[in-house]
Amino acid sequence: MTALPRIEYFLGANAPTGFYSLYDHLLPPEQARAIYILKGGPGCGKSTLMRRVGAWAEEAGLKTEYILCSGDPDSLDGLILPGKAVAIVDGTAPHIVVP
């Protein structure tokens, strides 16, 4: 099986006028099968969970998009599985996501 390219990008940035977000363009809710919102303090495992799901998806041959945290690129703000119309996102500040 041919490996798919690893897709990583930012949807938010710390700008002089404050936090600038494109998270509303993540995955349109009306097109999503599921959007999972993770909430929890720093270090509780939100990014680890998203990375593990992403690794599983890549091994299964699914297109996988990683949304990097603008404040800490080693951390994830989200994971999108476009072929499944599923997203997992960090719902804590500054990119607060509510159902």
Side-chain angles (χ1 to χ4, degrees):
M1 179 184 321
T2 304
L4 295 172
R6 184 179 184 95
I7 300 170
E8 298 180 340
Y9 54 90
F10 297 95
L11 280 179
N14 296 310
T17 56
F19 186 73
Y20 184 78
S21 175
L22 293 172
Y23 284 92
D24 54 339
H25 300 288
L26 177 77
L27 182 64
E30 63 277 0
Q31 295 175 10
R33 286 184 51 205
I35 298 176
Y36 298 97
I37 303 169
L38 306 178
K39 293 196 178 248
C44 74
K46 298 180 299 290
S47 286
T48 299
L49 174 67
M50 289 186 272
R51 286 191 194 287
R52 288 186 179 170
V53 171
W56 167 84
E58 287 180 27
E59 287 177 19
L62 298 174
K63 182 177 177 185
T64 308
E65 299 179 10
Y66 296 88
I67 313 303
L68 304 175
C69 175
S70 62
D72 178 9
D74 290 330
S75 184
L76 289 179
D77 282 351
L79 173 73
I80 304 172
L81 305 175
K84 296 289 185 184
V86 170
I88 304 172
V89 298
D90 181 345
T92 57
H95 34 68
I96 296 173
V97 178
V98 293

